[in-house]
Amino acid sequence: MVIAQSNTRLSSDRSLDRDCTTLSRHVLGQLKSFGPNAQDLSALMNRIALAGKLIARRLSQSGLVDNALGFTGETNVQGEAVKKMDIYANDVFISVFEQSGLVCRLASEEMEKPYYIPENCPLGRYTLLYDPVDGSSNLDVNLMVGSIFSIRQQEGNDELGDAQDLLQSGHKQIGAGYILYGPSTMLVYSIGRGVHAFTLDPSLGEFILSHENIVIPKHGSIYSVNEGNFCQWDTSMQEYVRYVHRTEGYSARYSGALVSDFHRILFQGGVFLYPGTQSKPSGKLRLLYEAAPLAFLADQAGGRASDGTQPILDVIPDHLHGRTPLIIGSSDDVALVQSFVKS
Ligand code: AHM
Ligand code: MG
């Protein structure tokens, strides 16, 4: 069939193109395909975006709405006090994926075992892992929080329901990203073809491409670590931080939300550290829901992520909720921290 060519635009307003570069369209463009796999991944990202919009809406009204802030009185599988917003955000992800045909299983740091959506399983080829609210301690004082996600291929049927197939390295991720609930809501993602950021336009209710192919500077002036734990670290980490104190040109920034500290470093360079402590040698951060997805982004943006001895993407979790020390950010800065760890 011959298609008549009359592709002349009536106006030269390029801002229309920008406003139409939505997340789902961007995914299709990245995959250079309109085939079923590309459509699935595009739809999946669109659902994650919907979860982000729902959570952002709730957060924006949280001081005014009953039962939005504060603790539930429960503790999660890791013995941490659960906040009402943790539960809300966790359930948002479940709701947006029900009846979607996309995701057979969801695993989150708030749920001991993965949540299965049986009606999706005949079609759904993916597992979504997520931290519904990262930086929960910031919630009640209206400071920055985020959601982190990681997409893996569903492998096998997981008939025993013990999710053994998820205990594989971060290289198995086919996509990862986060949503940052800040002055504007941003969604940053990668499907292995660079890192791209979208800003929520509230007037459209859409995430619109705002930063494409983000590259982390090789070095930055920021170091981001909870120095309240200084006496709990081993001497190599203490030596690194003493070096930073003695050397001109460093600034400390620590927000209490990994997503927010990582976001700054993604754009401006530097290093985020959450080392192990005497009481918690593996640190605080969870490999599958926090460290591995952000390591995927760092890697795609030309940065680096390590647990001190090996790349985070090489680490194989021993259980679903396993933790890891994390050093992530600019390649030169991560290498410098590692040089202290080795010595
Ligand atoms: P959370 O997901 O339960 O909020 O815990 C993870 C958060 C990170 O966002 C942040 O970097 C870290 O915990 C802060 O912990 P600390 O208060 O020990 O510095
Ligand atoms: Mg977290």
Side-chain angles (χ1 to χ4, degrees), residues 15 20 56 79 105 133-134 150 165 192 225 245 257 289 309 319 328:
S15 67
C20 291
R105 187 175 56 179
V133 181
D134 177 58
S150 161
D165 60 304
V225 64
H245 290 170
Y289 315 111
T309 58
H319 66 107
I328 189 167

Side-chain angles (χ1 to χ4, degrees), residues 273-292:
L273 309 140
Y274 206 112
T277 58
Q278 279 160 19
S279 55
K280 292 182 181 154
S282 297
K284 177 178 182 189
L285 301 173
R286 273 121 318 201
L287 179 62
L288 286 171
Y289 315 111
E290 294 170 323

Side-chain angles (χ1 to χ4, degrees), residues 20-53:
C20 291
T21 310
T22 57
L23 186 58
S24 47
R25 173 165 138 178
H26 195 260
V27 173
L28 295 174
Q30 290 260 296
L31 296 174
K32 295 187 175 61
S33 160
F34 297 109
N37 286 343
Q39 295 288 355
D40 273 5
L41 212 48
S42 164
L44 196 153
M45 286 304 306
N46 218 20
R47 294 278 171 154
I48 292 173
L50 174 60
K53 287 183 249 182

Side-chain angles (χ1 to χ4, degrees), residues 8 78 85 156 224 293 320:
T8 313
Q78 297 152 86
M85 193 64 79
S224 187
L320 209 50

